[in-house]
């Protein structure tokens, strides 16, 4: 099985949308929430049951196309990127009843892989498992979740807290990925000429 990592805790600015992209990056899945995330396996999980929940203040919005999932496959020895698959997640419009309760004036949005891409991902999983064992073991995979946020009030300079959760066919409930990360907590070098990393919604 490849060594899949859930990218966790690194941040970047997505210049194309001028919105902050909060990226879960850097720690193995097993370090995020112990045994629960150990159960998750991108090569066998059911793509139709994969969900990401995003909780944030009503002062913040996730714009259309602001929730993305990226799969990267690399050669374990040389580090070369062999395949990149980016998927724009779609909002389900359903409530997450199994999330821990949040505070007042908070929104929770649930995102899923679009139905139109479910069979494509299942085919990718099947092709991976059809590889010879030595070839499978030579691969390392990464799963990355990007959430872009914008502020409702252009004059708002307060904290912009975001919490993210994941649910899959292996996980009975949503599992915490990141809690109350401030979208303004971005290294200065990432901002370029901009003073505020969270841009107004347009």
């Amino acid at each position: 099985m490849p060594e899949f990592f859930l990218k966790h805790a690194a941040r970047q600015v997505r210049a194309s949308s001028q919105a902050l992209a909060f990226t879960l990056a850097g720690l193995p899945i097993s370090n995020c929430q112990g045994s629960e995330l150990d159960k998750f396996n991108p090569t066998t999980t059911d793509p139709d049951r994969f969900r990401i929940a995003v909780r944030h203040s009503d002062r913040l919005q996730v714009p259309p196309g602001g929730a993305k999932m990226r799969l990267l496959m690399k050669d374990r020895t040389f580090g070369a990127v062999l395949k990149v698959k980016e998927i724009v997640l779609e909002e389900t419009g359903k409530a997450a009843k199994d999330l821990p309760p949040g505070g007042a004036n908070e929104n929770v949005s649930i995102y899923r892989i679009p139905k139109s891409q479910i069979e494509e991902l299942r085919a990718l999983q099947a092709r991976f498992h059809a590889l010879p064992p030595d070839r499978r073991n030579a691969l390392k995979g990464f799963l990355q979740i990007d959430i872009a946020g914008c502020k409702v009030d252009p004059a708002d300079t307060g904290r912009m807290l975001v919490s993210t959760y994941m649910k899959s066919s292996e996980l009975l409930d949503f599992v915490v990925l990141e809690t109350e990360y401030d979208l303004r907590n971005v290294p200065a070098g990432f901002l370029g000429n901009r003073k505020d990393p969270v841009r107004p919604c347009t």
Side-chain angles (χ1 to χ4, degrees):
M1 188 175 76
E3 184 183 351
F4 273 90
F5 288 89
L6 181 67
K7 297 210 151 212
H8 181 80
R11 291 92 193 173
Q12 66 186 29
V13 172
R14 195 180 310 151
S16 60
S17 64
Q18 294 190 331
L20 182 81
F22 146 69
T23 306
L24 305 171
L27 293 177
I29 286 179
S30 58
N31 287 351
C32 290
Q33 192 173 330
S35 60
E36 281 303 298
L37 279 172
D38 284 340
K39 300 174 185 177
F40 177 70
N41 184 346
T43 68
T44 57
T45 196
D46 182 356
D48 198 30
R49 295 174 62 188
F50 183 83
R51 300 289 186 274
I52 292 294
V54 181
R55 170 181 279 138
H56 57 83
S57 163
D58 57 11
R59 296 162 36 239
L60 183 72
Q61 287 184 2
V62 178
K68 295 183 179 180
M69 180 178 78
R70 188 176 296 110
L71 297 168
L72 295 92
M73 190 69 70
K74 294 184 178 182
D75 181 278
R76 183 183 296 277
T77 303
F78 302 104
V81 176
L82 305 175
K83 186 168 185 66
V84 178
K85 175 66 177 176
E86 183 171 277
I87 297 172
V88 176
L89 302 175
E90 65 179 16
E91 192 170 355
T92 66
K94 295 182 179 179
K97 298 178 181 178
D98 47 356
L99 281 181
N105 302 318
E106 284 192 326
N107 296 321
V108 177
S109 302
I110 310 297
Y111 297 89
R112 61 165 296 143
I113 297 169
K115 287 280 189 181
S116 60
Q117 295 182 276
I118 296 296
E119 292 308 317
E120 179 184 359
L121 288 178
R122 287 175 176 162
L124 286 174
Q125 290 174 321
R127 285 201 294 271
F128 170 77
H129 286 286
L131 293 172
D134 59 338
R135 181 59 182 146
R136 290 202 305 268
N137 292 333
L139 301 175
K140 178 162 56 174
F142 296 84
L143 172 64
Q144 181 176 329
I145 303 297
D146 288 346
I147 305 297
C150 62
K151 57 184 179 180
V152 175
D153 180 359
D156 192 339
T157 59
R159 299 173 73 200
M160 293 288 179
L161 302 180
V162 173
S163 299
T164 53
Y165 310 81
M166 185 181 77
K167 188 175 183 179
S168 69
S169 54
E170 299 89 350
L171 305 171
L172 296 178
D173 300 309
F174 277 97
V175 174
V176 175
L177 297 177
E178 182 85 9
T179 55
E180 295 196 339
Y181 172 68
D182 186 356
L183 293 183
R184 288 201 160 96
N185 182 24
V186 177
F190 285 16
L191 299 179
N193 295 325
R194 294 188 292 114
K195 295 181 179 180
D196 190 345
V198 183
R199 306 299 290 169
C201 299
T202 56

